[in-house]
Structures are given as C-alpha cells and as structure tokens.
Amino acid sequence: MLRLVRHGLRWRRPYSSIAASDIDHFRTILPPHAILSTLSPSTLNPSELDPYNNDWMGKYRGRATTVLKPKTTQQVSDIVRWCASRDIPIVPQGGNTGLVGGSVPLRDELVISLANMNSVRSFDPVSGILVADAGCILQSLTDYVAPHNHIMPIDLGAKGSCHIGGNVATNAGGLRLLRYGSLHGSVLGLEVVLPDGTILDQLTTLRKDNTGYDLKQLFIGAEGTLGIITAVSILTPPSPQASNNVILALPHFDNVQPLYRAVKRQLSEILSAFEYIDRTAYDLAVKHGQGRALSDEEVDGAACFVLVETSGGRREHDEEKLTDLLSTLRSSPSLWALREGVTEAVSKEGKAYKYDISIPLASFKTVVDTTREHLRSKGLLGEHAVKHVMGYGHVGDGNLHLNIVAAAYTQEIQDALEPFVYELVGKSLVQTWHQKLNTYVRCAASYRGSVSAEHGIGAMKTHALHYSKDDVSIEWMKKIKALFDPKGIMNPGKVLE
Ligand SMILES: Cc1cc2nc3c(=O)[nH]c(=O)nc-3n(C[C@H](O)[C@H](O)[C@H](O)COP(=O)(O)OP(=O)(O)OC[C@H]3O[C@@H](n4cnc5c(N)ncnc54)[C@H](O)[C@@H]3O)c2cc1C
C-alpha cells in the first residue's frame, strides 16, 4: 500500500484506461467467460476482481477493472496488439504468489491472467524435456512427469498455486536449486508475446544451440516487463530412486557453517538440499501447524535447525552415507512440510516485511540480530509493532529470508527498515571519488550481497535496485526495456523506476 502511493507519483506516462469500446473489441478475441470486467454492461461484482487486484501478502492493492483469461497464444497476441495500439498498460499474472508486488496492478492496468493456458504440449520421457503452457501449475506438472520417473527441476512452498510461467518470469529459486541449478540452465526454450503483440517462438527442445544471442535468457527473471511468456520448454531430471531427509537441532548458529562443510564433503553428489530455520521461524511454523513438531526433548536448547536432504540412486548407499555422517537419522516428509510452511506461518502471524537476500553464510545470524537490535533501538519491538525478527532460507545457495513480522504495515516500521536493510546487505550509499583510478565508485561498507536473491524486484524494490546493480548495468537494463517495450505498457512500475 505504501509503495503504491510512491509509484503513483512516479508514473508519468500517458497511459489509457480501459473503456467500454475496448471490452467490445476483446469480445471479438475471447469468449464471454474469459472476460471479467466491471465495465460495459456487466453483472460482475467488483469484489470478484479482488483475487487479481490483491497480492499474496495483502500489501499491494490495484484497481483493475478488467481481467482477461486467454486460452491460446494467438489470443494473447491479439490482446497485446490492441493494448499497444491504445497505450493500455498490462500486468501479466500467473498464480499471484509473488512476494514483491510484481503480479498485481498499481493502478487500473489490464490484468492478463495465464490461468486458462494450462495444457502440457509435449513430454519426451527419454530426454525428459517437457513443453507446457505458461499457466500450468507447478504441482500439476510435478504430478504429470512423476509416472514417467521424472521430477520438476524446481520446487517451492507455493507449488500448489504458482505457474511455471510465473516461475520463469521470476527466475524462482526454491528448494532444489542447490542440486539442479537455476532456471537459466534448465529452461531450454520459451514462447513469448512481445509488447507489440509479435509472437517470439524460441520454444526449442534442443539442449545445445549456440546460434546467436540467447534471447530467452532476457525473459527469465524479467518479471513480465519485457513480454508475456506463453509456453516453456524445460529439462526435467530423472526422479531420484531414494530420498532421505533429516532435521538437525543445533545449539548455536556457529555450528551451521562447519556442518555445511562436513555435509558437502561427506554426502557430496547425493546432497540435494541444505535449509536453515532459526528458532523464531521454527516456533512460528509449529504454532501455525506447518509440519510435524519435534519433541520438547529434541528442541531443548536449540538455537536453530538445518534440514538436510539427500537424493540418490540407491537407498542403502545413501543411508549408509547419512548414517556415517549423523548419529541419529529421522526420515519423514513432514520435515519438509515444516520448512515449506514457514512462509505460510509468517503470513498467519501478522504483516511481513520480507527481505530475500544473498549474503555470506557466516553473516546470516548477524544480519538478523543487527536488524532486531536496530528495531529495538527505535522502540519498535513489541506486540503492537514488530512481533518477530527471524531468518530462514537456502543455506546451500547463500540465500537468507529475513522476515520482520509486525502487527500492521506502518510507515514508521518501513522507514526504520529501509534503507537500513539494503545498506546492510548491498552497497552503501556513501559514494567516494576513487583517487587512484580516477573513477566514481561506491564504497562497499557492507556484504556486497544481493537485495533480492530469488523473489525479484517487482514494485517493492525498484528503488533498491542500485544497491545490487551499478549505474552502467541499470542503464543497459533501461535500454533493453525501451527496445522491447518503447511504449512502456508491459508491467509498468515494476523492476525499473
Ligand atoms: C508460500 C510461498 C513460498 C514461496 N517460496 C519461494 C521460493 O522458495 N523461491 C522463490 O523463488 N520464490 C518463492 N515464492 C515466491 C513465488 O511463489 C514465486 O516468485 C513464483 O515463481 C511466482 O509464480 P506465480 O505464477 O505465482 O507468478 P505471479 O506471482 O503471478 O507473478 C510474479 C511475476 O511474474 C510475472 N509473470 C507471471 N506470469 C507471467 C508470464 N506468463 N509471463 C510474463 N510474466 C509473468 C508477473 O507479472 C509478476 O511480475 C514463494 C511464495 C509463497 C507464497
């Protein structure tokens, strides 16, 4: 909500609002049930658009009057072409599980929901290459490839709602990145409708194709600002024959790093995840019924937890490796439910200020503690202000989710957190003249990390992009945006200011 005001002030392009005549045109492209609009003669209750106007965190609220739900790429293209001719801004929307306000309108943009584009186009069980419409839900694709003994290379807590197109648009990381790498590697091809309506067909199923620029990479992580992804070709790995997980309660954060080194050394090729949960995050997940709680005895004295998963080809071999490493081994799917459920638990507890950062593993706890102390020094800790400051995340990827759970979103908390957190994580704003090189450089007074490891920039962090990217990089991003989308109609106010 706070950011909305901010963006409203910055957004100066002369966009058109959707008119009744536009709805008439959309009726020539789509069947009536694929048009949700409060305009024109309509019986639609405006509250039916709430799920499209509100983001998952309940932080951003748009005022879209119209949501279109095309079924085919050609329909997407026809809609976008019309919008380009009328300067109507568009928000592409997948499962609307994004955590940075990228998937909802900031004003009255047209929402194009990909939810009806939900068919698998092909699957080759020999190569494991899957081609699917962008609106396929991640869990449904996981279920689709499972009987063929394959898994999706990506897994995350929102898998029951998020779309594969949304995953690609955000370059989502999730729980398998340690093992299978990022989507920049596993996505082989894309079909994209560009901001002028042109269909870019790069839906290749080739694993190797070094013929010119790899354009698809630009759309992976572009958060819908360069075009609408309508289909994805992705490499799915073979299912591991054996999977084990174990949760370890650790007395000190200082135990995490040596443990990670030992785990990597001893488990090597079978290690598939190494996730961190601090005690506050664990207690919250348990309080809100996410997964099976450990016994009082098991958690007694624990400062934090790590969840280790192995995925390999032979159960006995993997178990032997694990048992060698650990004296006690408990295997249970509910352990993952606990880790996956932390995000959900946080949202049940209150309003979350979410920072998704890449920093050195050794500094995970310092960043959480420093933020908590900073809020305390401002008098903002307490039941009616900030209730919890916690950290959890993907240790194996150097990615910490720093969550501050408050009773409500307030300007005071927001101002206390920003730019404080960004300066702690990214580059300091202090700029100095570097005498020797005679160049203008930013002082690194912090960890030189990333202010967004996997959730993206969306509407939430446009003003913070420069903490992780230098001026030259941002200038070239803007040039690329202007080249693809000269009218700026594709997801305005997101990623770039
Ligand atoms: C409980 C929970 C757990 C999560 N865990 C993780 C995690 O571990 N790792 C992680 O990276 N993220 C995580 N997320 C964030 C989120 O789920 C991911 O960012 C996900 O990839 C978003 O997919 P979506 O379909 O919901 O996209 P949306 O939220 O609908 O959209 C996200 C962005 O992508 C754009 N977009 C969506 N579809 C398209 C398309 N077809 N073409 C072009 N642009 C498009 C939107 O405009 C928006 O900018 C989590 C979220 C929740 C709620």
Side-chain angles (χ1 to χ4, degrees):
M1 217 59 121
L2 302 169
R3 292 273 155 255
L4 247 175
V5 176
R6 216 169 156 157
H7 280 277
L9 293 173
R10 286 180 192 169
W11 190 353
R12 292 197 190 89
R13 277 177 189 268
Y15 293 120
S16 306
S17 288
I18 302 166
S21 54
D22 295 311
I23 304 295
D24 291 341
H25 183 78
F26 295 143
R27 286 202 182 103
T28 67
I29 303 172
L30 297 174
H33 64 82
I35 303 173
L36 307 179
S37 180
T38 54
L39 301 173
S40 190
S42 167
T43 52
L44 191 84
N45 183 333
S47 65
E48 288 181 56
L49 294 186
D50 283 355
Y52 305 93
N53 270 321
N54 294 297
D55 76 320
W56 193 87
M57 295 180 297
K59 192 171 184 184
Y60 297 88
R61 185 183 175 82
R63 302 191 308 268
T65 60
T66 306
V67 175
L68 301 182
K69 301 177 88 171
K71 181 87 185 146
T72 67
T73 303
Q74 191 56 52
Q75 289 172 345
V76 177
S77 163
D78 292 345
I79 295 164
V80 173
R81 199 177 297 282
W82 177 261
C83 291
S85 72
R86 288 262 302 113
D87 292 321
I88 294 172
I90 296 168
V91 178
Q93 193 174 86
N96 198 11
T97 67
L99 298 174
V100 288
S103 51
V104 290
L106 297 178
R107 292 185 183 174
D108 63 351
E109 299 94 299
L110 170 70
V111 174
I112 298 185
S113 164
L114 279 296
N116 285 345
M117 293 191 67
N118 54 5
S119 301
V120 170
R121 297 193 186 182
S122 65
F123 178 67
D124 176 0
V126 179
S127 64
I129 295 169
L130 171 76
V131 181
D133 282 351
C136 290
I137 289 175
L138 180 58
Q139 181 65 59
S140 70
L141 293 179
T142 304
D143 295 343
Y144 184 92
V145 298
H148 303 284
N149 293 319
H150 282 74
I151 58 168
M152 294 301 287
I154 174 173
D155 186 22
L156 52 149
K159 60 187 159 211
S161 312
C162 64
H163 295 181
I164 188 68
N167 298 149
V168 173
T170 55
N171 186 26
L175 308 164
R176 292 187 180 149
L177 191 133
L178 180 68
R179 179 65 170 270
Y180 301 111
S182 97
L183 289 173
H184 280 292
S186 45
V187 170
L188 302 179
L190 292 177
E191 180 187 78
V192 182
V193 172
L194 299 176
D196 65 355
T198 305
I199 299 170
L200 177 74
D201 183 354
Q202 295 231 327
L203 206 54
T204 175
T205 51
L206 304 174
R207 288 201 66 177
K208 298 176 91 172
D209 179 19
N210 282 350
T211 51
Y213 303 136
D214 190 359
L215 294 180
K216 71 168 183 293
Q217 299 294 352
L218 280 173
F219 302 95
I220 303 174
E223 300 180 55
T225 59
L226 298 180
I228 302 182
I229 298 165
T230 47
V232 176
S233 164
I234 189 165
L235 187 63
T236 68
S239 316
Q241 295 303 303
S243 200
N244 292 298
N245 51 60
V246 58
I247 199 160
L248 299 163
L250 305 177
H252 302 288
F253 173 78
D254 293 347
N255 304 130
V256 177
Q257 204 165 341
L259 178 69
Y260 182 48
R261 289 178 63 182
V263 163
K264 274 207 300 186
R265 194 176 56 246
Q266 293 196 37
L267 298 180
S268 58
E269 84 290 350
I270 63 166
L271 175 64
S272 56
F274 191 99
E275 296 285 311
Y276 168 75
I277 315 172
D278 76 10
R279 183 63 195 251
T280 312
Y282 170 86
D283 288 341
L284 218 59
V286 170
K287 175 178 169 187
H288 292 285
Q290 309 288 329
R292 178 179 66 84
L294 302 177
S295 70
D296 290 349
E297 195 188 7
E298 286 168 321
V299 299
D300 186 32
C304 58
F305 303 84
V306 296
L307 194 154
V308 180
E309 185 191 67
T310 62
S311 305
R314 206 158 54 84
R315 180 167 300 280
E316 304 75 42
H317 166 262
D318 297 356
E319 280 184 3
E320 200 178 306
K321 275 192 146 185
L322 256 182
T323 324
D324 279 354
L325 177 76
L326 311 159
S327 52
T328 52
L329 170 69
R330 291 178 298 277
S331 175
S332 157
S334 64
L335 298 181
W336 265 119
L338 195 139
R339 166 60 188 89
E340 288 181 4
V342 176
T343 313
E344 192 101 30
V346 165
S347 75
K348 287 181 177 160
E349 181 73 3
K351 297 295 182 192
Y353 294 82
K354 288 180 169 292
Y355 298 95
D356 158 39
I357 56 186
S358 275
I359 46 170
L361 165 57
S363 50
F364 274 26
K365 184 170 183 296
T366 312
V367 166
V368 177
D369 291 348
T370 308
T371 306
R372 187 184 296 109
E373 286 319 306
H374 172 70
L375 290 167
R376 193 192 307 280
S377 73
K378 299 257 175 199
L380 289 171
L381 278 194
E383 264 310 294
H384 301 294
V386 173
K387 300 202 272 183
H388 309 283
V389 179
M390 72 186 79
Y392 60 95
H394 317 294
V395 167
D397 314 330
N399 176 192
L400 176 73
H401 296 310
L402 167 67
N403 279 217
I404 293 92
V405 188
Y409 291 127
T410 70
Q411 192 66 50
E412 203 184 3
I413 300 174
Q414 175 84 18
D415 290 345
L417 288 170
E418 295 180 21
F420 177 81
V421 173
Y422 295 133
E423 294 201 349
L424 191 62
V425 172
K427 297 170 191 155
S428 162
L429 269 187
V430 182
Q431 297 185 318
T432 56
W433 190 252
H434 195 289
Q435 299 286 341
K436 198 171 169 199
L437 296 171
N438 207 25
T439 50
Y440 199 52
V441 295
R442 289 203 169 94
C443 261
S446 58
Y447 298 109
R448 295 190 69 87
S450 170
V451 296
S452 187
E454 59 175 12
H455 293 163
I457 295 294
M460 182 177 162
K461 299 178 190 166
T462 51
H463 64 295
L465 188 59
H466 63 275
Y467 288 99
S468 290
K469 289 285 185 293
D470 67 8
D471 294 344
V472 176
S473 306
I474 294 176
E475 190 188 326
W476 276 94
M477 285 186 204
K478 287 183 175 167
K479 285 182 185 171
I480 290 168
K481 168 73 176 170
L483 183 67
F484 277 89
D485 185 17
K487 293 182 160 209
I489 61 166
M490 204 52 83
N491 218 0
K494 315 291 170 56
V495 183
L496 295 166
E497 287 187 319

